[in-house]
Amino acid sequence: MTPRARATLIRVAVALAVVAVIAWWLKGRGGDKTSAAPGGAQLAERAGGSGGGRSGGRAGGGGPAGGPADRVVPVTTASAEKKDVPIWLEGLGTVAAFQQVTVRPQVDGRLDKVLFTEGQPVKKGEILAQIDPRPFMVQLHQAQGALARDQAQLDAARRNYERYKSLREQQLVAQQQVEEIAGQLGALEGATKIDMAQVESAQLQLDYAQVKSPLDGIAGVRLVDAGNLVKASDQTGLVVITAVDPAAVLFTVPQDKLPAVSAALARGEIPVEVWNRDNTQKLATGKLAVLDNQVNQTTSTLRLKALVPNAAHTLWPNAFVKARMLVETRAGALVIPAVAIQRGPQGSYVYVVGADKTAVMKPVTVGLLTADLAIIEQGVAAGEAVVVEGQNQLRPGGRVETVTKPPTKQDGAPRGGPAAGAAARSGSAAGPAAGARPPAAP
């Protein structure tokens, strides 16, 4: 056999093998379809029978879930009531020191002692540090010596003047001598006053050698240690004293609230409550002290300052807090829980439970919405029961059942309720999930 004939024979054999494999694969696939057909028919029969049973039950009114019109929706309600509602304005702020002073030496010298404890309260006039007093004592002694000298000369001049004055009356001395003695007396009186001023100055310098606290407050970190030379011109200072009782709280509110704040200030004092950043703990209560005289152009906010008692030191300078002030109390306002308010294309509305236990949708006009209450100006009367839980399952005219506790996933929904109806609709209409195995036959 020639090489050419041998190659042709190999090609034919390969082609026959490929055809045989394709035929075997097609035959196997056809068998699978044939064997799966009875099972598929059974599944279709089961689905059809189940659907037919449910549809028949609905048509005859015997289904356990009932029709949409007969479904009772469990809801939680609250009564609309009239009461006095406080109106608060809230803003984020920081605590500031009511007064803060950097204590600096007023004389030059060596710092001998530091007598305060860092971080501890100090009283006004309490000695904080001692500068070497010896140079100032020397100055005081010198001034006292000069005063004693001039005082003795003054006493002698006064006696001499009285004597010459008496001789002049007897016409024993000339008037010129009396006048000269009087001039000497005046000069010595002036020198004595200068000496007294020098003594007072030396006493003041000696007093300045004791560095005292200028106010009641908390001592900060020591800035200079004992042994250093300090000067009155030093900019650093010895310590910073901060007054924290009362504390100042600086906070901001939107500029649109200016009319309300101004009106509240015109009526009198505005109470201010200070809370922590999480709004979980009230730290202090005070009053509004300052309304800034300009609006911040960058943030369009007003800056306000409140003064609050801080005897327990719960407020600390530069701490972040939340402050809210009472600007108004609306007397006899009609209020409902804020969660009852629903919003739609036509505006705000609420569901009210009627006397026949059906849901009635009522458009409302909301005057003010707070964190937990809504002030209603129009649409609801006092005493009406508004739905606060379960609105998403309601429709106008639907039957409702008032429950004390809203149904939860753990408690389970009652029969015929929203959860049961939703489960029935999703389970019956959709049938088994795609790809799921049909239940095994008994």
Side-chain angles (χ1 to χ4, degrees), residues 253-327:
V253 296
Q255 66 174 14
D256 299 336
K257 304 300 182 182
L258 176 59
V261 177
S262 299
L265 280 173
R267 289 192 295 267
E269 294 184 352
I270 301 180
V272 177
E273 293 182 353
V274 182
W275 293 70
N276 60 358
R277 289 191 301 173
D278 301 331
N279 261 357
T280 57
Q281 181 184 3
K282 185 167 73 170
L283 303 177
T285 302
K287 62 181 181 180
L288 186 66
V290 177
L291 170 63
D292 202 359
N293 58 2
Q294 58 184 349
V295 176
N296 189 321
Q297 294 183 348
T298 305
T299 59
S300 299
T301 56
L302 285 170
R303 194 182 190 197
L304 301 103
K305 179 181 180 180
L307 295 180
V308 296
N310 190 31
H313 293 174
T314 54
L315 301 176
W316 217 245
N318 298 328
F320 287 99
V321 293
K322 285 186 177 179
R324 64 174 192 168
M325 57 183 175
L326 181 64
V327 295

Side-chain angles (χ1 to χ4, degrees), residues 193-251:
K193 290 183 178 180
I194 292 175
D195 292 338
M196 292 176 62
Q198 293 294 331
V199 170
E200 292 176 356
S201 176
Q203 290 174 341
L204 183 61
Q205 297 295 312
L206 184 60
D207 184 68
Y208 283 162
Q210 292 181 334
V211 182
K212 300 176 182 179
S213 173
L215 73 161
D216 295 343
I218 305 295
V221 178
R222 184 177 65 252
L223 302 177
V224 179
D225 294 330
N228 286 284
L229 291 176
V230 294
K231 296 182 178 180
S233 59
D234 291 343
Q235 297 299 318
T236 305
L238 303 179
V239 66
V240 177
I241 305 295
T242 302
V244 295
D245 184 22
V249 177
L250 301 173
F251 62 102

